[in-house]
Amino acid sequence: MPQMNMVQAINDALRHEMRRDSRVVVLGEDVGKVGGVFRVTQGLFDEFGDDRVIDTPLSENGIVGAAIGMALYGLVPIPEIQFADFIYPAYDQIVSELAKYRYRSGGEYPSKLVIRTPVGGGIRGGHYHSQSPEAQFIHVPGLKVVCPSNPADAKGLLLSSIRDPDPVLFFEPKRIYRAAKGDVPDGDYTVPLGQAKVVRPGWHVTLVVWGAMLYEALDAANQAAAQGIECEVIDLRTLWPLDIDTVIESVKRTGRFIVVHEAPKSCGLGAELVALVNEKAFLHLEAPPLRITGFDTPFPYTLENEYLPLSHRILPAILEMARY
Amino acid sequence: MSTATYSTDRPPNVSGASLEPQAAVARHPLDTCADDVIKVLRDDGSLDPAHDPKLAPSEVIALYRAMVRVRQLDERLVALQRQGRIGFHIGSLGEEAAVLGSVSATRPQDWVFPCYREFGAALWRGLPLQRYIDNMFGNANDTVKGRQMPDHYTYREGHFGSVSSPIGTQITQAVGFAWAAKLRRDELATLVYFGDGATSSSDFHSALNFAGVFKVPVVFFCRNNGWAISVPTERQTSSNTFACKGVAYGVPAVRVDGNDLFAVVKVARDAIARAARGEGATLIEAMTYRLSGHSTSDDPKAYRPDAWLDPWRRLDPIERLRRHLERTQGWTEAQDREIEVAVDAEVKACIAVSEKVAPPSLDSMFEDVYAEPPWHLVEQREQLKAGPRPKGHGGR
């Protein structure tokens, strides 16, 4: 199996599917000749031409609106939004149109596409190249939201997202685009949507996490293990609809639940997870559930390592919860 | 600002270019920044041969019937809303020639992306009246399952898109749709409707820009009916016309008398022919007037005196077309009466059927959110079904 980083794995998935399915087109700002500002679409323009790898005008609502129209025609568009921070001009198209098309047409017009976009902090990008807006899409009925943490999952989840009948927001954690490396299966390889992965089995505390923060949670879990506390670390992978069974089964065994995410704390996906744990495993809890997250401030530039829920903030939470 | 900044090592940017003579901009013959409005139908009912689309007498009668049918439906649906039997209606009173003339120019393979005022276009493309009326009642037979307000229908079989309420969103989608057809080398044009208010939406600008850049076979049809609810056109733009906005995007544009069926047919056919020849998009500004309120929820007395409507009542598209029929085909009041009776009968019959159909099932509320309902929707559906029903469950 070849070793790849996240960028190479996503590129491999796009190339594989574009070869397999002529309906697949990639469009967005700088995705063509230059291969994207992160080079995720590098080489696709040369192989598939500008009918299928399309540099567009700088207009996110134009990109997504046109992609919806292409999908209605029967293509499978994969628009790239250069940074998730710039997705808001397209928010109306995503929320009012894409998410509701199947429903509002009584199933007559499914509108299937995958929006790829880099998310998260850790690249010294300030407010506008660092945010994690997953909750703003999870709150919209009709959308699926995916966030891989490693190259193999990035390929497998992207291929599943493209073949899934529903619209998918595919969030790529840019902090680990090149830092996360690993074996990636050749050829056709899918990872089912809606299945979390237990990355580290444990029995004292359940840690639910996704994307780049997985590695921080694992680091904290390993440090906790040195003190005799074994954490179960769950990589959520599909953020919505999430794998409730894996989460609740784990919490019922550990009785302790921590969720970690980069996005602001209030009304984040962590809040929903805590609510679900309370609804479904309340009588198993040994301690109040905890959220270790970004703060309810805009994403800061200089102090980004203070803002992010890195292992130095996760470890004390684990220890405190274990001793509760 | 000095021009020197732009003079040396690179071509001028747009602000620099504005200092150059306007001749630098290539004009398509259909470009119009002037006040010229294409007209065919004269006041006396005769036709100006310069732009006559040469409709067969039977075609004119079919379109006249369709326009009268739409108006009669409008009146009936407003009455139903006032009686509390349906929740809402948004019609096209005064705009029948704009809607029917443009859609009649489409060919079977073409597609229509509607705004929300074009039920006449859906009916023209074959939407069964019963299906439309079921949508007005939001009953179990409504193909959109009572999920949207009345007048938010779809009709895929007739190549007619899905109505939504946000303004302008369908314009970029129509561009993407037409663009996809072009990428697949399929010869078809896409006609997209919107009002003058939508020209202020970001989607309008994105759509024209994309259509210009990628030479997309789309026809932008702007029903300039003078009003966006209570806001008049002079509050939408300080441009002389809406058509001139096309020039900025390299999209040829034309202004047409929107209450002149023949002129609308002519410009719409020309635009579709241009698209079919691979020459790209056209923007049509149809000058018409919204004789009703915005919808049944609006009371226009608050912002426009009734007298303002008088000049437009004299330009009523149906009256004008009738004068033409009288002149050329000896049209009689008896023939009008015949249409009226036939439409009244079919509408009454459809209403009688729709009104008896039950509301959609509780299960249907949870279908089609996703292709398959995920665990949380299954859970919520079962909770709803096991719980108590509200007052007026499924009622109107």
Side-chain angles (χ1 to χ4, degrees):
Chain A
M1 263 191 288
Q3 274 259 325
M4 291 184 190
N5 62 30
M6 297 274 278
V7 167
Q8 293 163 330
I10 296 166
N11 182 278
D12 186 53
L14 290 170
R15 188 184 305 273
H16 176 81
E17 200 64 359
M18 290 185 80
R19 284 178 182 167
R20 198 184 74 91
D21 184 348
S22 68
R23 299 172 306 159
V24 177
V25 297
V26 166
L27 69 159
E29 296 154 14
D30 306 295
V31 300
K33 284 185 181 166
V34 76
V37 295
F38 289 102
R39 304 295 181 266
V40 174
T41 55
Q42 198 161 44
L44 300 182
F45 181 87
D46 292 334
E47 179 168 348
F48 301 103
D50 64 358
D51 270 7
R52 296 185 64 199
V53 184
I54 306 165
D55 277 324
T56 66
L58 205 164
S59 165
E60 286 79 10
N61 84 313
I63 293 166
V64 175
I68 292 171
M70 289 175 159
L72 294 173
Y73 194 77
L75 302 186
V76 181
I78 309 181
E80 175 181 301
I81 300 297
Q82 202 159 76
F83 287 84
D85 313 74
F86 303 141
I87 206 166
Y88 299 103
Y91 200 55
D92 189 27
Q93 284 288 349
I94 296 169
V95 172
S96 306
E97 301 290 325
L98 180 63
K100 294 177 175 60
Y101 241 108
R102 182 195 300 279
Y103 193 74
R104 78 176 200 216
S105 66
E108 204 164 80
Y109 285 112
S111 175
K112 161 55 197 181
L113 50 84
V114 180
I115 299 175
R116 292 182 38 250
T117 188
V119 292
I123 62 150
R124 296 184 64 76
H127 303 334
Y128 302 116
H129 304 80
S130 303
Q131 297 168 88
S132 297
E134 65 272 2
Q136 305 189 54
F137 297 94
I138 289 168
H139 201 65
V140 180
L143 301 176
K144 291 181 176 173
V145 182
V146 172
C147 184
S149 67
N150 62 77
D153 278 357
K155 176 174 179 176
L157 288 168
L158 181 54
L159 286 179
S160 291
S161 295
I162 297 170
R163 296 171 193 178
D164 192 85
D166 296 311
V168 178
L169 273 285
F170 194 84
F171 288 138
E172 299 170 1
K174 65 176 94 70
R175 174 189 163 99
I176 54 170
Y177 254 152
R178 290 172 194 280
K181 296 188 184 79
D183 290 336
V184 176
D186 258 331
D188 209 77
Y189 172 67
T190 57
V191 172
L193 300 189
Q195 287 186 16
K197 184 177 176 186
V198 178
V199 177
R200 182 190 197 284
W203 48 89
H204 292 126
V205 177
T206 298
L207 274 171
V208 170
V209 64
W210 55 89
M213 290 303 104
L214 171 69
Y215 302 96
E216 298 297 323
L218 283 172
D219 181 39
N222 289 336
Q223 292 182 57
Q227 301 188 39
I229 297 161
E230 293 297 337
C231 294
E232 180 142 301
V233 179
I234 297 175
D235 180 357
L236 207 51
R237 305 200 290 190
T238 298
L239 308 191
W240 201 259
L242 57 78
D243 181 353
I244 189 70
D245 294 342
T246 298
V247 173
I248 296 302
E249 188 276 327
S250 176
V251 174
K252 282 182 175 171
R253 275 191 287 105
T254 63
R256 293 175 169 86
F257 176 73
I258 297 175
V259 54
V260 178
H261 63 61
E262 293 186 35
K265 186 173 188 176
S266 299
C267 290
L269 178 53
E272 181 60 32
L273 274 158
V274 169
L276 287 168
V277 164
N278 280 334
E279 284 174 5
K280 294 176 187 297
F282 187 74
L283 297 177
H284 298 266
L285 291 177
E286 303 287 348
L290 267 184
R291 290 172 284 168
I292 310 299
T293 68
F295 298 101
D296 291 350
T297 69
F299 195 102
Y301 173 67
T302 304
L303 298 179
E304 77 172 340
N305 284 339
E306 294 288 344
Y307 176 92
L308 288 169
L310 304 180
S311 63
H312 70 277
R313 280 171 58 202
I314 303 170
L315 178 63
I318 295 170
L319 300 178
E320 200 179 314
M321 180 168 278
R323 294 185 195 115
Y324 184 86
Chain B
M1 190 169 63
S2 158
T3 54
T5 335
Y6 303 107
S7 64
T8 52
D9 58 343
R10 60 196 172 87
N13 64 12
V14 170
S15 57
S18 71
L19 300 167
E20 302 291 322
Q22 282 293 307
V25 179
R27 290 273 310 265
H28 186 277
L30 282 181
D31 273 1
T32 170
C33 271
D35 289 335
D36 47 335
V37 174
I38 294 193
K39 289 173 190 285
V40 176
L41 182 55
R42 300 187 184 113
D43 287 348
D44 63 0
S46 67
L47 303 182
D48 178 350
H51 296 289
D52 183 0
K54 299 194 169 60
L55 296 175
S58 60
E59 287 179 292
V60 181
I61 290 179
L63 282 161
Y64 178 75
R65 273 180 194 281
M67 286 164 63
V68 170
R69 184 180 186 224
V70 161
R71 179 162 298 186
Q72 227 170 300
L73 267 165
D74 259 337
E75 285 161 1
R76 188 80 187 105
L77 291 168
V78 169
L80 280 185
Q81 193 276 338
R82 297 293 183 243
Q83 293 162 6
R85 291 159 72 189
I86 60 172
F88 177 80
H89 176 56
I90 187 158
S92 52
L93 192 72
E95 303 179 43
E96 295 88 349
V99 172
L100 270 304
S102 50
V103 76
S104 76
T106 59
R107 305 159 301 170
Q109 75 266 36
D110 297 331
W111 282 72
V112 175
F113 275 61
C115 169
Y116 42 56
R117 219 180 272 292
E118 296 91 10
F119 70 99
L123 294 171
W124 181 265
R125 288 200 63 99
L127 177 71
L129 186 62
Q130 187 69 62
R131 181 167 162 175
Y132 174 59
I133 300 292
D134 283 336
N135 175 257
M136 298 307 299
F137 281 88
N139 63 25
N141 287 347
D142 175 16
T143 59
V144 304
K145 306 185 188 178
R147 290 166 181 163
Q148 290 218 72
M149 290 170 80
D151 281 310
H152 291 62
Y153 35 82
T154 66
Y155 183 42
R156 189 179 187 123
E157 204 187 324
H159 291 194
F160 191 92
S162 156
V163 179
S164 74
S165 309
I167 295 301
T169 46
Q170 77 279 14
I171 316 177
T172 43
Q173 293 167 17
V175 167
F177 190 91
W179 187 8
K182 179 181 172 175
L183 293 172
R184 299 302 265 189
R185 315 280 187 273
D186 296 333
E187 198 281 279
L188 61 90
T190 302
L191 168 66
V192 57
Y193 288 103
F194 50 92
D196 42 288
T199 63
S200 298
S201 73
S202 57
D203 277 285
F204 171 81
H205 298 279
S206 301
L208 265 80
N209 192 35
F210 276 60
V213 168
F214 296 103
K215 249 190 168 180
V216 170
V218 66
V219 179
F220 298 106
F221 194 92
C222 175
R223 290 178 293 91
N224 175 2
N225 68 11
W227 297 94
I229 306 187
S230 69
V231 179
T233 51
E234 59 265 31
R235 274 291 163 105
Q236 296 300 339
T237 187
S238 71
S239 302
N240 285 336
T241 73
F242 290 107
C244 76
K245 291 170 190 277
V247 178
Y249 299 105
V251 173
V254 60
R255 285 177 109 203
V256 63
D257 178 348
N259 287 6
D260 172 343
L261 177 78
F262 299 93
V264 174
V265 169
K266 170 66 178 162
V267 298
R269 280 186 182 174
D270 286 351
I272 287 170
R274 280 196 68 239
R277 290 196 302 270
E279 292 170 23
T282 306
L283 169 62
I284 296 171
E285 177 186 353
M287 314 290 294
T288 181
Y289 201 82
R290 198 193 74 208
L291 289 176
S292 64
H294 165 73
S295 69
T296 50
S297 309
D298 178 36
D299 177 9
K301 285 192 210 76
Y303 53 84
R304 68 177 190 198
D306 193 63
W308 290 8
L309 273 57
D310 289 340
W312 288 96
R313 287 187 179 123
R314 286 194 288 276
L315 292 170
D316 186 306
I318 292 179
E319 298 297 327
R320 287 171 69 187
L321 189 56
R322 183 190 287 115
R323 278 203 292 281
H324 170 79
L325 284 176
E326 284 164 4
R327 182 190 179 101
T328 57
Q329 303 198 43
W331 193 258
T332 62
E333 268 182 39
Q335 282 169 292
D336 270 332
R337 182 75 194 133
E338 215 173 280
I339 298 176
E340 193 189 322
V341 169
V343 173
D344 193 53
E346 64 166 343
V347 173
K348 269 191 185 139
C350 288
I351 291 170
V353 170
S354 292
E355 215 162 14
K356 287 198 200 93
V357 177
S361 68
L362 289 183
D363 285 302
S364 79
M365 193 163 107
F366 296 87
E367 293 160 3
D368 303 321
V369 182
Y370 298 92
E372 295 295 330
W375 66 268
H376 66 290
L377 286 181
V378 172
E379 197 177 274
Q380 290 170 24
R381 181 185 68 204
E382 295 316 309
Q383 283 166 358
L384 176 76
K385 286 167 73 175
R389 301 277 70 76
K391 271 187 199 166
H393 157 70
R396 296 184 265 269

